[in-house]
Amino acid sequence: MKNSSQPQRLASLDILRGFDLFCLVVLESLLHPLANAINSDWFHQLMWAFTHKEWEGFSSWDLVMPLFLFMSGVSIPFAFSKYKTDTNKLPIYRRIGKRVLLLWIFGMMCQGNLLALDPQNIAFFSNTLQSIAVGYLIASLAFLHLRQRNQFILAGAFLFIYWAAMTFVSVGGFGGGNYTPDGNLAEWIDRTVLGRFRDGVSWEDGSWSFAPWYRYTWILSSLNFGVTVMTGVFAGMLLKSNKPELVKIKWLVYAGAVMVALGWLWGLEHPVIKKLWTSSMVLVSSGYCFLLMALFYWWIDYRKHNQGYTVLRVYGMNSITAYMITNVVSFKCVGQSLFYGLEQYTGNFYPVLISLCNVSVIYVILWLMYKHKLFLKV
């Protein structure tokens, strides 16, 4: 944590990041208890947009995590361009290594049960921050050492390698084009490599048992985590270029539309499944990220409508802090203390009130940090 005088920033990126974190921190916390309280068919239908797909397909809520990865890539050209020609890259390697390590530890704190201090409950690789760490490592090293053309080739190669492995490799009844939750190759790799350190694993009757409800995969999917962050790098290189702003916007739109179309077309043979982070899903989600980046860049940086977004900046400029506080600390006890006795009058809306109090306390903390220019640098 440090008092930072920020250099010139891409305002649209901060606000888009804030929008993503607002969805994650506020909307997710409030809408689900609100849906339970209202308990109406029309509201449950509306919740489709705020609910992850169970398996195959893609909802708007499935974009939250890819967008987080994508934006970590957008900032790389702005932060690392000056290091590309340095003969001594040891300082930047240290910076990358520090960020990867901290993100990994933070991910274990959020979802790996690290704070439980119980080795039998620790999950080693199970969180969005760790997917960012892996993707950031791949994308930053590629940016530092490869020409732009070769970065495109590498991203394409990763997509192809993932597809080929899932399609043609078969081990112990897993894989060989099987994309079911219980039969895909990525599932087998995670069970084999992570074992009892995988999320959702419990000790039952003298043996480790894999939970049937946990379907996210991480090891083989890391290839495509890298590609998702690299697509952000490609967008960042375009935004950092000397091209006219309207040209940048057009290229973001064109590239986004092409990726979405190619992703859904590929999905006919290689399904769009976020929990596996399939190559088709990477194209679909990155395409949508390009379109969102184009929209925010057009409205905020090109049209100069950059006032009145303090709420989103508060979340966007301390995104890791917002994510960590939301996942590690609960302030619901504050609401339960302040509004003790109201449950008998508010009924099913009492959990909504408590959740609102929780997100309000988090916002106040983030706002105070923003006001005093305190930003968590990872």
Side-chain angles (χ1 to χ4, degrees), residues 169-185 187-188:
V169 177
S170 179
V171 183
F174 291 82
N178 188 333
Y179 286 96
T180 63
D182 292 308
N184 66 83
L185 179 68
E187 175 76 14
W188 177 84

Side-chain angles (χ1 to χ4, degrees), residues 57 67 80 82 86 89 119 142 145 165 181 206 222 238 265 305 325 347 349:
L67 184 58
F80 286 3
K82 61 183 178 181
D86 281 358
K89 289 187 169 57
H145 293 284
S222 291
L238 175 62
L265 183 63
H305 297 293
I325 293 177
F349 286 90

Side-chain angles (χ1 to χ4, degrees), residues 85-101:
T85 56
D86 281 358
T87 54
N88 179 21
K89 289 187 169 57
L90 188 58
I92 192 61
Y93 291 157
R94 287 179 181 146
R95 178 175 166 183
I96 293 169
K98 174 187 173 184
R99 186 166 202 245
V100 169
L101 179 61

Side-chain angles (χ1 to χ4, degrees), residues 14 20 26 36 55 77 107 148 162 172 197 253 261 268 275 314 321 336 347-348 355 371:
D14 283 330
D20 196 40
V26 179
N36 292 331
W55 191 244
Q148 185 172 339
Y162 180 95
F197 294 105
V253 172
L268 298 175
K275 290 183 177 180
V314 164
T321 305
Q336 290 164 349
N348 291 337
S355 294
K371 180 182 179 182

Side-chain angles (χ1 to χ4, degrees), residues 2 4 37 84 117 214 241 270 295 317 348 351 356:
K2 66 180 182 179
S4 175
K84 283 179 71 73
L117 303 179
Y214 189 80
S241 70
H270 178 57
L295 175 63
M317 295 182 70
N348 291 337
L356 179 60

Side-chain angles (χ1 to χ4, degrees), residues 241-305:
S241 70
N242 294 323
K243 291 181 173 62
E245 290 181 321
L246 272 179
V247 173
K248 296 177 185 179
I249 294 166
K250 289 178 181 178
W251 274 107
L252 287 171
V253 172
Y254 294 155
V258 168
M259 282 192 286
V260 170
L262 289 177
W264 283 116
L265 183 63
W266 198 359
L268 298 175
E269 186 273 335
H270 178 57
V272 174
I273 304 173
K274 175 181 173 285
K275 290 183 177 180
L276 297 180
W277 218 263
T278 57
S279 298
S280 57
M281 194 285 300
V282 170
L283 288 178
V284 168
S285 60
S286 292
Y288 290 142
C289 289
F290 263 72
L291 295 175
L292 271 177
M293 190 75 247
L295 175 63
F296 275 67
Y297 183 76
W298 169 76
W299 182 253
I300 294 164
D301 289 303
Y302 177 69
R303 295 291 302 274
K304 307 301 181 186
H305 297 293

Side-chain angles (χ1 to χ4, degrees), residues 106-216:
F106 289 163
M108 291 187 70
M109 291 170 64
C110 288
Q111 203 163 332
N113 296 317
L114 185 63
L115 298 179
L117 303 179
D118 183 355
Q120 287 196 345
N121 288 326
I122 288 179
F124 183 68
F125 193 178
S126 61
N127 185 261
T128 298
L129 295 182
Q130 293 165 328
S131 67
I132 293 176
V134 172
Y136 176 82
L137 177 63
I138 293 171
S140 57
L141 292 179
F143 178 78
L144 287 171
H145 293 284
L146 298 178
R147 295 179 179 177
Q148 185 172 339
R149 176 176 175 272
N150 291 335
Q151 292 178 54
F152 285 125
I153 292 173
L154 180 63
F158 281 166
L159 292 174
F160 179 81
I161 290 169
Y162 180 95
W163 164 79
M166 294 288 284
T167 302
F168 300 113
V169 177
S170 179
V171 183
F174 291 82
N178 188 333
Y179 286 96
T180 63
D182 292 308
N184 66 83
L185 179 68
E187 175 76 14
W188 177 84
I189 292 175
D190 273 26
R191 290 188 181 191
T192 303
V193 176
L194 297 176
R196 72 179 185 88
F197 294 105
R198 189 188 185 199
D199 202 359
V201 178
S202 59
W203 180 259
E204 296 179 6
D205 300 325
S207 63
W208 296 102
S209 175
F210 294 95
W213 50 264
Y214 189 80
R215 299 301 182 185
Y216 286 93

